[in-house]
Amino acid sequence: MFWVYAGIVVSIASFFVAGYLYQWVKQQPGGSKEAEEIAQLIRNGASAFLRREYRVLAVFAGVVAIVILLFLPTPIWKSDFLTNLKMALACLVGATLSASAGKIGLDIATIANLKSAVASKKGIAPAFGVAFKGGAVMGMAVVGCSLFGASVLYLLTKDANAVLSFSFGASTLALFAKAGGGIYTKTADVSADLVGKVELGIPEDDPRNPAVIADNVGDNVGDVAGMGADLFDSNIASIAAAMVVGLALGQEHLVFCYATLGLLASILGVLFIGMGKHRDPGRALNTGTYITTALYAVLTLVVSLIFKYDLRIWGATIVGLVVAVIIGITSDYFTGDNKKPVEKVAKASSIGPAFTILSGFSYGLVSCFPALLGIGFSALVSYKLCEPLGASYAMFGISMAAIGMLSIVGMIISNDAFGPIVDNARGLVEMANMGEDALVVSDELDAAGNTAKAITKGFAIGAAGLTVIALLGAYRETVMSIAPEMDISFNIMDPLVFFGIMVGVAVPAVFAAMLMLGVDRNAERMVAEIHRQFETIPGLKEGKPGVRPEYEKCIDIATIGAIKELIPAGLMAIIVTLVVGFVGGVHAIGGYLTGNIVSGLFLALLMANAGGLWDNSKKYIETGVHGGKGSDAHKAAVIGDTVGDPFKDTAGPSLNTQVTVVSLISSLAANLFIALSLF
Amino acid sequence: MFWVYAGIVVSIASFFVAGYLYQWVKQQPGGSKEAEEIAQLIRNGASAFLRREYRVLAVFAGVVAIVILLFLPTPIWKSDFLTNLKMALACLVGATLSASAGKIGLDIATIANLKSAVASKKGIAPAFGVAFKGGAVMGMAVVGCSLFGASVLYLLTKDANAVLSFSFGASTLALFAKAGGGIYTKTADVSADLVGKVELGIPEDDPRNPAVIADNVGDNVGDVAGMGADLFDSNIASIAAAMVVGLALGQEHLVFCYATLGLLASILGVLFIGMGKHRDPGRALNTGTYITTALYAVLTLVVSLIFKYDLRIWGATIVGLVVAVIIGITSDYFTGDNKKPVEKVAKASSIGPAFTILSGFSYGLVSCFPALLGIGFSALVSYKLCEPLGASYAMFGISMAAIGMLSIVGMIISNDAFGPIVDNARGLVEMANMGEDALVVSDELDAAGNTAKAITKGFAIGAAGLTVIALLGAYRETVMSIAPEMDISFNIMDPLVFFGIMVGVAVPAVFAAMLMLGVDRNAERMVAEIHRQFETIPGLKEGKPGVRPEYEKCIDIATIGAIKELIPAGLMAIIVTLVVGFVGGVHAIGGYLTGNIVSGLFLALLMANAGGLWDNSKKYIETGVHGGKGSDAHKAAVIGDTVGDPFKDTAGPSLNTQVTVVSLISSLAANLFIALSLF
């Protein structure tokens, strides 16, 4: 039990760190009345959206909890009430913690944006410090919450199923929060760009644009709350998967040990990060990541030696860690500013927009190869590494690789939240006219934030990949424990398994399409509203002093649309899973999960990388190549960027969560599938 | 042996039918001197390309044959020379027959285009008759060649391995022919459209456009020769797969029986097709397909009853047949003129090109669901249907479903070749000024050809899907026969299998990307050349009488580029397969094939349907909605169409063949993988 308590202690420590950083950021000097006003608008818009979204999701979580109470792990009339109640409560707690993590992140991000904007008048180092510390609040809160929740829950129940249900609650909330946030942010972003940049030729973040506040709100609800919920969910899921396999081996203490040390390494990394003398924000972020990685490797090695844990397990976590870094580097290659793909896509843009799309999409396809190879390879190596310890240890090895990959998640979330904070800060500098110097500083931070986001996205997908493979193992473990007499080899040549694979492959595609069509529909409405405002509000287009667009209308459209569109896609994935399970049984589900994992990862990588590539190709052209801003090449690149936005910020990142949710349901409902399936 | 001889007789009958139709088409009246000249240009361009392509492929096939001679089925120093020689020769014969089928199709298509154009002056019925009969020559030749080759080869060798090698030769040739033809046709099409329609606003097929002849050549080398090679290859592969499984059961006569009856049904269908009184070419094509389908179902039922074959086998073939029709209908829904997706994408185009891309891509994603479900379901049903006959009969059921799906392939190829013939005819009518009436007729035939193409594409992918599942079964059968002591359940939880799946999923993505980037590079060169001609040839832009562009230069660029780009992508797929096999062994290959099949099918469906959808949305707007031709919506739709062109005509259809080739190599090299793999 030592490591469970250690987990609780370290996660409480992370709360203190988060609280300290929160206070520190809050005490930084505020801005002019105008800036405060705009920041307040963003804050209100974000809070209002989150409130409405959470109200819908509370109902949904309630329904799910009742379903769990009635049916899981076994129908209530066949089981004892307490077990089912425990499951239902665990699910609710998971959902609540996930929601809280999102809320905390949003609160700090909508404070830190203004503080960082104000600090950017003093130079790059202070502005970077404020933004990074703001992001770190989120990082600490998310990882702290997840480890704290898992530890306490395990202490109270000693039941792996309850941890699965906890994870399921968190994932389901994350699924809808990400879909909703993703639709919101891209509706606003795409509409603002389309009318502002493309039609009227006014700059980004121009206060005349009625959608500009909604756009800034979107960064917060999509990138901060959404990404936080996603990584919260991956983190919990990796712990849950490792727990299921680990408990069967009596090795669950190792899970807590490695997860706790990961949080510790992240805390230390976050506290010691700084700009250094090079004044390069991107380098500072990367250095932080490398330090955390190295710290984690050393800490776990030392602990393993002291406690005489088998070094093969340690090796498995390190494999996961190394692959995480490699996937990050691959994403960086395919989306990085000064790399070949960006240059090629920029060059293709000078022929026409169709070539922007074709070349960016093609590079996106290629970019999947190294990442999928890396995930498959790390699963293979960690499996083979731990196989000598005993048959079931092999699967435990994979789940420990997932734990290793997610060990530095505290640092990753901090880097990731940095992006939308500085993006918002840039918007505030522009909208509140804070001056040219501040704009240069905030531009530089924004660029660093973009690169960091591409890398953390690759990381998030890789982490989800290993986690869901581990969950597949957990699913098998669950089936074995329920029906030990069953043959649970999921043989591809079994037509039920194959059928499952085919359906599993199709689901992420439909899921992604539903979200993107949601953005399409929503953006149509918002574009119409922006046009209406420019036409009917006198003086708006000309920028007459004192004339303000009706920002709230656009915020309303984004909010209502996102709330309406966020449920169907997620529900589709859940329902198809249940149908496959009740029709084809546990074997079909084994295939279904595999198909879902591979196609989910593939599409997520494709969309994240192609989206990032288009975005940076546009920025690359804006530096003056191929005619620079306003040229035909630039117009083509803007079209690519607009296509890429829902790719990389709506559909792509939601796919991770879809795969996780589906994997968790399968484990939870395994009992029912065994008892009730058609085949 | 009865059915083997019957196969030979019926395939010879199909040659006679093809010869008769060929002569009939050739004797139709020719056109004016101008029209003959242009048709000659197209014919010469196509022949020149095919000659150069086949020269490269002959070298390649020679190398492959030598490799087979040395290593397959076992290294020559361990095996007897004759067996290996038989394999090598079978491969060469397969490649030669595949090449001949392509050549015959090309010859007739480049004759029928002019004859149909001339006939269109007399009305729609004569023009339809000529074009359809031209396509039927191809259909009969392709299916006849494949059944004839397989029957004779079986008669001579009685060796399933030799049939596999024959199929491999045909598939490899198809792989490169389709890649080369696909790159050629889209290079020319995209470049011609980009400069002609988008920049200069001149109509399609305007003789001033230097790329216009290359574009018409491309239709022939890409759609006729390429598609013919593809379906030739699927047809052979389905026979080979069923033979491998069937021979082990002593049921190979059933394979020949069902394949022979399929060809017979197609011959009858082709002979009795006609316009009827409704004068609707699309309906005429569909009626032909339905008649053939019904004929096949009745013929096989009667034969099964007479010969007392088990009706479960008959059921399996009918399942395949029905699913083929269903997939065709799905493709029609997602790409059809008067259906919701086309309307939605057209509407999205009125907001901007990014929305054209996003909505079309999203519907493309959704369209994969029913088709994948259908393929998975038909595999499941045919398996379960035949399972009561004995364990190995289950897999035989799947391979017979593939045979059933491909039974009507003769009719399908006829319909498919109809498309490029009428497309070319329309070009000739325009370029040779044959008058407004002829243009209306040829436009109507062109539209029917487009719809038919979308349906046959869906069919081709579905057929390939079932075929490769059958090949997966053949692969397992091969491994079992080589190493009966081996555990050949490909369990997903085996990390080697899982690793294989991950790599397998990535390969079609990289393959597709390489082809599309090839089109990109090539089109860049050709666009530059078109610009050069318009700038340096006086009077060309203005259409001064007597001034002709240098068509040959564009044909040269397309030819050289396609030859250069066609090898790397296919080679990559082959090499990765060998690497996975030699590293991970037969289990990794089991996973690899599965991953390759699902992702190959998924991408092929996505690309074919999204491409068809964009194409038809553009055409829909051209009928006058959302502002019609020249409007912003139309410009956006043209961008979508340009993106869709390499999707649907280069990468999409080549993916089928990639999957088939990889499946065949795996079976052929299974012996080596077992002996030499690292793990």
Side-chain angles (χ1 to χ4, degrees):
Chain A
M1 280 319 225
F2 172 74
W3 286 111
V4 182
Y5 289 112
I8 295 176
V9 170
V10 174
S11 47
I12 291 175
S14 79
F15 295 146
F16 276 105
V17 173
Y20 160 74
L21 293 173
Y22 187 93
Q23 287 304 326
W24 185 88
V25 170
K26 218 173 167 182
Q27 281 157 13
Q28 297 305 303
S32 63
K33 191 167 155 281
E34 192 185 1
E36 289 280 0
E37 253 179 49
I38 299 173
Q40 193 61 43
L41 273 173
I42 297 175
R43 205 172 301 141
N44 291 349
S47 303
F49 172 71
L50 218 61
R51 233 184 351 263
R52 290 175 72 164
E53 185 181 56
Y54 283 176
R55 215 177 296 149
V56 173
L57 293 183
V59 175
F60 191 83
V63 172
V64 169
I66 291 171
V67 171
I68 290 179
L69 182 66
L70 290 176
F71 296 106
L72 296 181
T74 33
I76 197 163
W77 50 92
K78 288 188 191 166
S79 113
D80 71 314
F81 179 72
L82 259 180
T83 312
N84 283 26
L85 183 65
K86 232 164 42 181
M87 296 282 285
L89 288 179
C91 171
L92 282 181
V93 173
T96 311
L97 281 181
S98 174
S100 314
K103 172 79 179 130
I104 294 170
L106 198 71
D107 278 349
I108 182 68
T110 51
I111 295 170
N113 56 4
L114 177 61
K115 306 288 186 181
S116 172
V118 174
S120 64
K121 288 195 277 190
K122 282 190 275 175
I124 194 157
F128 174 85
V130 175
F132 181 79
K133 288 200 173 74
V137 172
M138 172 92 177
M140 295 296 104
V142 164
V143 186
C145 277
S146 64
L147 186 57
F148 184 79
S151 308
V152 170
L153 196 70
Y154 175 69
L155 212 57
L156 294 177
T157 66
K158 303 272 184 329
D159 180 2
N161 254 329
V163 182
L164 276 180
S165 185
F166 173 69
S167 176
F168 176 67
S171 294
T172 312
L173 193 112
L175 178 68
F176 294 108
K178 272 186 90 174
I183 293 173
Y184 188 113
T185 178
K186 290 306 124 177
T187 299
D189 188 6
V190 164
S191 310
D193 281 2
L194 204 67
V195 184
K197 281 198 216 168
V198 180
E199 289 180 20
L200 303 177
I202 59 180
E204 181 146 2
D205 295 323
D206 190 300
R208 283 171 291 174
N209 196 328
V212 73
I213 300 287
D215 187 9
N216 279 285
V217 170
D219 289 340
N220 290 298
V221 300
D223 294 349
V224 177
M227 191 59 142
D230 176 26
L231 285 168
F232 179 84
D233 141 60
S234 291
N235 199 28
I236 284 283
S238 74
I239 294 177
M243 286 265 297
V244 172
V245 188
L247 265 172
L249 300 166
Q251 299 286 4
E252 69 281 10
H253 58 281
L254 287 180
V255 181
F256 287 105
C257 165
Y258 281 89
T260 303
L261 293 177
L263 179 52
L264 192 61
S266 291
I267 294 178
L268 296 174
V270 160
L271 287 179
F272 290 115
I273 205 171
M275 280 291 281
K277 289 192 188 118
H278 51 74
R279 317 209 133 248
D280 174 349
R283 208 170 125 190
L285 292 175
N286 284 341
T287 310
T289 308
Y290 292 136
I291 288 177
T292 310
T293 307
L295 255 176
Y296 179 72
V298 173
L299 271 176
T300 48
L301 179 61
V302 170
V303 168
S304 294
L305 291 173
I306 293 174
F307 287 80
K308 299 204 169 42
Y309 294 149
D310 201 295
L311 283 183
R312 286 177 179 276
I313 305 281
W314 177 76
T317 60
I318 298 301
V319 167
L321 190 60
V322 169
V323 169
V325 174
I326 290 175
I327 291 178
I329 293 173
T330 320
S331 293
D332 188 39
Y333 172 76
F334 279 100
T335 59
D337 271 2
N338 40 9
K339 304 292 191 317
K340 202 183 104 185
V342 164
E343 282 171 20
K344 291 271 179 183
V345 173
K347 187 168 169 234
S349 300
S350 60
I351 316 180
F355 289 86
T356 314
I357 304 294
L358 281 170
S359 57
F361 188 74
S362 299
Y363 281 113
L365 286 172
V366 176
S367 75
C368 300
F369 191 80
L372 288 178
L373 193 72
I375 296 170
F377 187 73
S378 61
L380 180 58
V381 170
S382 53
Y383 185 101
K384 290 282 172 194
L385 203 60
C386 296
E387 208 175 17
L389 300 176
S392 292
Y393 276 88
M395 207 62 223
F396 188 57
I398 294 184
S399 59
M400 289 308 287
I403 297 271
M405 205 175 223
L406 281 154
S407 59
I408 55 169
V409 69
M411 189 68 198
I412 295 290
I413 297 175
S414 307
N415 282 359
D416 193 68
F418 175 82
I421 291 175
V422 292
D423 190 345
N424 257 245
R426 195 203 163 284
L428 286 166
V429 167
E430 171 109 29
M431 287 186 275
N433 293 314
M434 294 193 190
E436 200 50 45
D437 287 354
L439 200 59
V440 170
V441 165
S442 62
D443 256 343
E444 194 177 337
L445 289 179
D446 189 20
N450 268 323
T451 310
K453 256 174 72 180
I455 296 174
T456 55
K457 242 169 226 160
F459 172 85
I461 297 168
L466 267 186
T467 302
V468 288
I469 297 175
L471 280 173
L472 185 61
Y475 167 69
R476 180 163 155 272
E477 195 67 49
T478 311
V479 174
M480 281 207 293
S481 71
I482 299 169
E485 75 292 351
M486 208 169 195
D487 168 27
I488 41 70
S489 67
F490 302 124
N491 184 358
I492 290 167
M493 304 308 299
D494 175 347
L496 280 172
V497 173
F498 200 92
F499 176 73
I501 293 180
M502 295 296 264
V503 180
V505 164
V507 164
V510 177
F511 176 82
M514 289 173 80
L515 294 184
M516 291 195 292
L517 289 172
V519 172
D520 254 30
R521 273 191 293 273
N522 240 357
E524 278 181 37
R525 285 189 282 266
M526 193 179 285
V527 166
E529 169 63 21
I530 302 176
H531 281 151
R532 188 198 63 78
Q533 292 201 20
F534 274 121
E535 277 157 25
T536 58
I537 301 177
L540 180 61
K541 210 180 266 178
E542 301 76 23
K544 212 167 126 189
V547 175
R548 273 215 162 179
E550 299 165 7
Y551 296 129
E552 299 74 14
K553 289 250 165 89
C554 285
I555 293 179
D556 254 16
I557 289 176
T559 305
I560 293 170
I563 301 279
K564 208 175 93 188
E565 307 277 1
L566 68 83
I567 297 283
L571 212 55
M572 180 278 301
I574 293 174
I575 288 172
V576 173
T577 309
L578 295 176
V579 169
V580 170
F582 285 120
V583 170
V586 284
H587 286 95
I589 285 286
Y592 174 77
L593 287 185
T594 308
N596 199 269
I597 289 171
V598 294
S599 113
L601 288 179
F602 166 67
L603 280 172
L605 287 163
L606 166 63
M607 293 184 149
N609 289 341
L613 178 51
W614 280 318
D615 191 352
N616 280 334
S617 301
K618 183 197 69 179
K619 295 215 170 89
Y620 177 68
I621 290 178
E622 284 171 357
T623 64
V625 286
H626 303 301
K629 267 192 182 176
S631 64
D632 282 347
H634 186 242
K635 277 179 199 143
V638 169
I639 292 173
D641 184 32
T642 314
V643 172
D645 270 339
F647 266 45
K648 73 180 199 306
D649 293 323
T650 309
S654 300
L655 281 164
N656 289 345
T657 330
Q658 183 264 294
V659 175
T660 314
V661 167
V662 159
S663 301
L664 286 165
I665 297 178
S666 303
S667 283
L668 287 171
N671 224 333
L672 301 176
F673 296 156
I674 292 173
L676 299 171
S677 81
L678 206 65
F679 274 92
Chain B
M1 280 321 224
F2 172 74
W3 285 112
V4 182
Y5 290 111
I8 294 176
V9 170
V10 174
S11 47
I12 290 174
S14 79
F15 295 146
F16 276 104
V17 174
Y20 161 74
L21 293 173
Y22 186 93
Q23 286 305 325
W24 185 88
V25 170
K26 219 173 166 184
Q27 281 157 14
Q28 296 306 302
S32 63
K33 189 166 157 280
E34 192 184 3
E36 290 279 2
E37 250 179 53
I38 299 173
Q40 193 61 45
L41 273 174
I42 296 175
R43 205 171 301 143
N44 291 349
S47 303
F49 172 70
L50 218 61
R51 228 179 1 257
R52 288 175 74 165
E53 186 181 56
Y54 282 176
R55 213 178 295 147
V56 174
L57 293 184
V59 176
F60 192 82
V63 173
V64 169
I66 291 171
V67 171
I68 290 180
L69 182 67
L70 290 177
F71 296 106
L72 294 182
T74 32
I76 197 163
W77 51 93
K78 288 187 191 166
S79 116
D80 72 313
F81 178 74
L82 260 180
T83 312
N84 283 26
L85 183 65
K86 230 163 42 181
M87 297 282 285
L89 287 179
C91 170
L92 282 180
V93 173
T96 310
L97 281 182
S98 174
S100 314
K103 171 78 178 130
I104 294 169
L106 199 71
D107 277 349
I108 183 68
T110 51
I111 294 171
N113 56 3
L114 177 61
K115 307 288 186 182
S116 172
V118 174
S120 65
K121 287 195 277 191
K122 282 188 275 173
I124 194 158
F128 174 85
V130 175
F132 181 79
K133 291 202 171 72
V137 172
M138 172 93 177
M140 295 297 103
V142 164
V143 186
C145 276
S146 64
L147 186 57
F148 184 78
S151 308
V152 171
L153 197 70
Y154 175 70
L155 212 57
L156 294 178
T157 66
K158 305 271 186 322
D159 180 2
N161 254 329
V163 182
L164 276 179
S165 185
F166 173 70
S167 177
F168 176 67
S171 293
T172 313
L173 193 112
L175 178 68
F176 293 110
K178 272 185 92 173
I183 292 174
Y184 187 113
T185 179
K186 289 307 126 176
T187 298
D189 188 8
V190 163
S191 310
D193 281 2
L194 204 68
V195 183
K197 283 197 214 168
V198 180
E199 289 180 20
L200 302 178
I202 59 180
E204 181 144 2
D205 296 322
D206 191 298
R208 283 172 291 173
N209 196 327
V212 73
I213 300 288
D215 186 9
N216 278 287
V217 170
D219 289 339
N220 290 299
V221 301
D223 294 349
V224 178
M227 190 60 144
D230 177 25
L231 285 168
F232 179 85
D233 141 61
S234 291
N235 199 28
I236 283 284
S238 73
I239 294 178
M243 286 265 295
V244 172
V245 188
L247 265 173
L249 300 165
Q251 299 287 3
E252 69 282 10
H253 59 283
L254 287 179
V255 181
F256 287 104
C257 166
Y258 281 89
T260 302
L261 294 176
L263 179 52
L264 192 61
S266 291
I267 293 177
L268 297 174
V270 160
L271 288 180
F272 291 114
I273 205 170
M275 279 292 282
K277 287 189 192 124
H278 51 75
R279 316 211 135 244
D280 175 348
R283 211 170 122 189
L285 292 175
N286 285 341
T287 310
T289 308
Y290 293 135
I291 289 178
T292 310
T293 307
L295 256 176
Y296 179 72
V298 173
L299 271 176
T300 47
L301 180 61
V302 170
V303 167
S304 296
L305 291 174
I306 294 175
F307 287 81
K308 300 202 170 44
Y309 295 149
D310 200 297
L311 283 183
R312 288 179 178 274
I313 305 280
W314 177 76
T317 60
I318 299 302
V319 166
L321 190 59
V322 170
V323 168
V325 175
I326 290 175
I327 292 178
I329 294 174
T330 319
S331 291
D332 188 39
Y333 172 76
F334 279 101
T335 60
D337 269 4
N338 40 8
K339 304 292 191 316
K340 203 184 105 185
V342 163
E343 282 170 18
K344 291 271 177 184
V345 172
K347 189 170 168 233
S349 301
S350 60
I351 315 179
F355 289 86
T356 313
I357 304 293
L358 281 170
S359 57
F361 187 75
S362 300
Y363 281 112
L365 287 172
V366 176
S367 75
C368 300
F369 191 80
L372 289 177
L373 194 70
I375 297 171
F377 187 74
S378 61
L380 180 58
V381 171
S382 52
Y383 184 102
K384 290 283 173 194
L385 205 57
C386 296
E387 208 176 16
L389 302 177
S392 292
Y393 276 88
M395 206 62 223
F396 188 57
I398 294 184
S399 59
M400 289 308 286
I403 296 272
M405 205 176 223
L406 281 154
S407 59
I408 54 169
V409 69
M411 190 67 198
I412 294 291
I413 296 175
S414 308
N415 282 359
D416 193 70
F418 175 82
I421 290 174
V422 292
D423 190 345
N424 257 245
R426 195 205 164 281
L428 286 165
V429 167
E430 171 108 31
M431 287 187 274
N433 292 314
M434 296 194 189
E436 200 50 44
D437 287 353
L439 200 58
V440 170
V441 165
S442 62
D443 256 344
E444 196 178 335
L445 290 179
D446 189 20
N450 268 322
T451 310
K453 256 174 71 180
I455 296 175
T456 55
K457 243 169 226 159
F459 172 85
I461 297 167
L466 267 187
T467 301
V468 288
I469 297 175
L471 281 174
L472 185 61
Y475 167 68
R476 179 161 155 271
E477 197 66 48
T478 311
V479 174
M480 280 206 296
S481 70
I482 299 169
E485 75 293 351
M486 209 168 195
D487 167 27
I488 42 69
S489 67
F490 303 123
N491 184 357
I492 290 168
M493 305 308 298
D494 174 347
L496 279 172
V497 174
F498 200 92
F499 175 73
I501 294 179
M502 295 295 262
V503 179
V505 164
V507 164
V510 176
F511 176 81
M514 287 173 80
L515 293 185
M516 290 195 292
L517 290 172
V519 172
D520 254 30
R521 272 191 293 272
N522 241 358
E524 278 182 39
R525 284 190 281 266
M526 193 180 287
V527 166
E529 169 63 20
I530 303 175
H531 281 152
R532 188 198 64 78
Q533 293 199 21
F534 274 121
E535 278 157 25
T536 58
I537 301 177
L540 179 60
K541 210 180 267 177
E542 301 76 26
K544 213 167 125 188
V547 175
R548 275 216 160 179
E550 301 166 5
Y551 295 128
E552 299 74 15
K553 287 253 166 84
C554 284
I555 292 179
D556 254 16
I557 289 175
T559 305
I560 294 169
I563 301 279
K564 207 175 96 189
E565 307 277 1
L566 68 83
I567 296 284
L571 212 55
M572 180 278 303
I574 294 175
I575 289 173
V576 172
T577 310
L578 295 176
V579 170
V580 170
F582 285 122
V583 171
V586 284
H587 286 95
I589 284 287
Y592 174 78
L593 287 186
T594 309
N596 199 270
I597 290 170
V598 294
S599 113
L601 288 179
F602 166 66
L603 280 172
L605 288 162
L606 165 64
M607 292 184 151
N609 289 341
L613 179 50
W614 280 316
D615 190 351
N616 280 335
S617 300
K618 183 198 68 178
K619 295 213 170 89
Y620 179 68
I621 290 179
E622 285 172 357
T623 64
V625 287
H626 303 301
K629 266 193 183 177
S631 65
D632 282 348
H634 186 242
K635 277 181 200 142
V638 169
I639 292 173
D641 183 33
T642 314
V643 172
D645 271 340
F647 266 44
K648 73 180 197 308
D649 292 324
T650 309
S654 300
L655 282 165
N656 289 344
T657 329
Q658 184 264 294
V659 175
T660 313
V661 167
V662 159
S663 301
L664 286 165
I665 296 178
S666 303
S667 283
L668 287 172
N671 223 333
L672 301 177
F673 296 156
I674 292 174
L676 299 172
S677 81
L678 206 67
F679 273 92

